[in-house]
Amino acid sequence: MAFKKKTLAVAAMALALAFGVSACGSSSDEARTDGDRTVLRYQGWTGQVGFHELAEDLGYFAKVKLEWVGDTTSGPQDIQSVATGDIDFGSAFNGAVVKLNAAGAPITSVLSSYGADEGEFTGYYVLEESPIRSARDLIGKKVGMNTLGAHHEFLVREWLAKEGLTADEIKQVELTVVPPVNTEQALRADQIQVAALNTIHREKALYRGGIRSLFTDKDLFGAFSYGTYVLRDRYIAENPDAVKDFVQGTARAIRWTQVTPREQVIERARQIIGKRNRNEDTTRIEFWRSPGIPVPGGVVAERELSTWIDWLVRNGELEQGKLNASDLYTNEYNPYANGTYAQDAGPDGQALAGAK
């Protein structure tokens, strides 16, 4: 469930394309309305419920209405669709957000969308009997992940670098795209030697046994928000009331998952999936453990973007000083950052029991 959520050469070409299209696109981001509500187009994930979808179901939106236009294949694809104007908001790993900004796309992050907290994380697993015990053991081996140019690739490369591998040695680790539903099977069949697993895929694989963690994203950065929701800058400028409503409602939905018992969150998500009639399997929902966002209401911290700017500069993929993290995001509309709600408040602004 998205109460959570991707080779860089490929991503770079896609980003350049996205910028090329956006640069010659419509001169206006005038939003479509349905009655007295602004319609916000978005892409979904099969079998998952986004915080924004939860917000609408909880009645947290007063001025916007969501319109699902189909499912996405990855975070980078999702935010590229935002940049080209095919949808109005999307979510991706912050490294991909930084790269899209570096390519010239006029987008801004408005709140966190997924990450690692006490209950949720991405693990990189090997078979129990595998001889792989260290980063150096991965030279010449295959690491399976859902897409390239995003979270899993960045995290693998960062871990390898921190463990002392040189740039040439890191290039010898083969990053391989494997659909999430097939990743565990590919690992057990030795088609890949390391599998990036999270949510239901991680929990099911651990239940079956025979695998062990090599490292996790939480090992690298601790509790950390890894992705953000983004909108086009022009859309934000031309539709401030809609953007404010979208952000406040989604922030409140994030907070709802942070303070509501797990069983209630799962049941609500199950109901949402059932009502949207997309012939989806709700199995994934049963394995939901936590929202994966450690900060109340998804407030964005500068280091969550600056970390990846520094990473790209260090790897020679971004010119020093080209981007400043503070220019890539805003917490202006988030009620947990702008003073509307205290950070220890529940989704309706009431202080939590026991909060200090």
Side-chain angles (χ1 to χ4, degrees), residues 1 3 256-257 260-269 288:
M1 157 161 112
F3 300 142
W256 187 85
T257 66
T260 301
R262 175 178 176 271
E263 295 74 17
Q264 292 182 33
V265 176
I266 291 173
E267 178 55 29
R268 191 84 185 211
W288 185 82

Side-chain angles (χ1 to χ4, degrees), residues 165-193:
L165 269 65
T166 65
D168 286 339
E169 289 172 330
I170 291 173
K171 290 178 182 177
Q172 297 175 55
V173 178
E174 186 174 345
L175 306 181
T176 304
V177 174
V178 184
V181 294
N182 302 124
T183 305
E184 179 192 350
Q185 179 184 359
L187 176 66
R188 296 188 188 277
D190 200 35
Q191 296 170 333
I192 57 176
Q193 287 71 56

Side-chain angles (χ1 to χ4, degrees), residues 1-6 45-46 48 75 93 113-117 119-125 144-147 150-153 155 178-184 187 194-208 211 213 215-218 226 283-292:
M1 157 161 112
F3 300 142
K4 6 179 199 157
K5 38 142 189 305
K6 272 158 196 112
W45 297 82
T46 301
Q48 300 184 50
F93 169 59
S113 58
Y114 81 95
D117 60 11
E120 186 50 54
F121 60 91
T122 295
Y124 298 80
Y125 293 88
M145 57 192 64
N146 72 317
T147 190
H151 187 136
H152 297 319
E153 177 175 352
L155 267 292
V178 184
V181 294
N182 302 124
T183 305
E184 179 192 350
L187 176 66
V194 182
L197 299 170
N198 56 22
T199 61
I200 183 175
H201 307 296
R202 179 194 64 235
E203 295 302 300
K204 280 189 170 182
L206 289 172
Y207 177 78
R208 282 187 274 264
I211 65 171
S213 172
F215 72 99
T216 71
D217 52 11
K218 194 174 177 183
Y226 286 102
T283 303
R284 181 169 189 163
I285 296 298
E286 308 303 325
F287 288 85
W288 185 82
R289 295 176 60 183
S290 69

Side-chain angles (χ1 to χ4, degrees), residues 151-346:
H151 187 136
H152 297 319
E153 177 175 352
F154 276 65
L155 267 292
V156 169
R157 292 173 65 182
E158 178 70 1
W159 182 71
L160 294 172
K162 284 183 177 292
E163 291 296 303
L165 269 65
T166 65
D168 286 339
E169 289 172 330
I170 291 173
K171 290 178 182 177
Q172 297 175 55
V173 178
E174 186 174 345
L175 306 181
T176 304
V177 174
V178 184
V181 294
N182 302 124
T183 305
E184 179 192 350
Q185 179 184 359
L187 176 66
R188 296 188 188 277
D190 200 35
Q191 296 170 333
I192 57 176
Q193 287 71 56
V194 182
L197 299 170
N198 56 22
T199 61
I200 183 175
H201 307 296
R202 179 194 64 235
E203 295 302 300
K204 280 189 170 182
L206 289 172
Y207 177 78
R208 282 187 274 264
I211 65 171
R212 57 180 167 81
S213 172
L214 187 61
F215 72 99
T216 71
D217 52 11
K218 194 174 177 183
D219 293 336
L220 283 172
F221 296 104
F224 197 77
S225 292
Y226 286 102
T228 48
Y229 282 99
V230 304
L231 293 97
R232 292 182 303 283
D233 293 347
R234 182 179 291 150
Y235 192 96
I236 294 173
E238 295 188 5
N239 306 281
D241 290 341
V243 173
K244 181 177 181 180
D245 193 49
F246 167 74
V247 174
Q248 68 80 27
T250 304
R252 291 168 65 197
I254 291 171
R255 191 63 180 144
W256 187 85
T257 66
Q258 292 171 329
V259 301
T260 301
R262 175 178 176 271
E263 295 74 17
Q264 292 182 33
V265 176
I266 291 173
E267 178 55 29
R268 191 84 185 211
R270 189 188 296 115
Q271 292 174 11
I272 293 171
I273 291 175
K275 286 187 289 188
R276 63 194 189 191
N277 295 316
R278 299 178 196 167
N279 194 30
E280 299 168 273
D281 183 0
T282 59
T283 303
R284 181 169 189 163
I285 296 298
E286 308 303 325
F287 288 85
W288 185 82
R289 295 176 60 183
S290 69
I293 297 179
V295 179
V299 175
V300 183
E302 186 167 319
R303 73 184 186 101
E304 293 160 1
L305 288 153
S306 65
T307 293
W308 307 111
I309 292 176
D310 295 344
W311 191 94
L312 290 166
V313 170
R314 196 165 61 244
N315 283 272
E317 299 177 50
L318 182 66
E319 181 184 348
Q320 177 75 48
K322 181 175 182 178
L323 294 179
N324 293 312
S326 60
D327 297 330
L328 306 186
Y329 76 97
T330 179
N331 285 314
E332 177 183 357
Y333 304 109
N334 194 319
Y336 295 93
N338 67 15
T340 302
Y341 294 164
Q343 291 234 333
D344 59 358

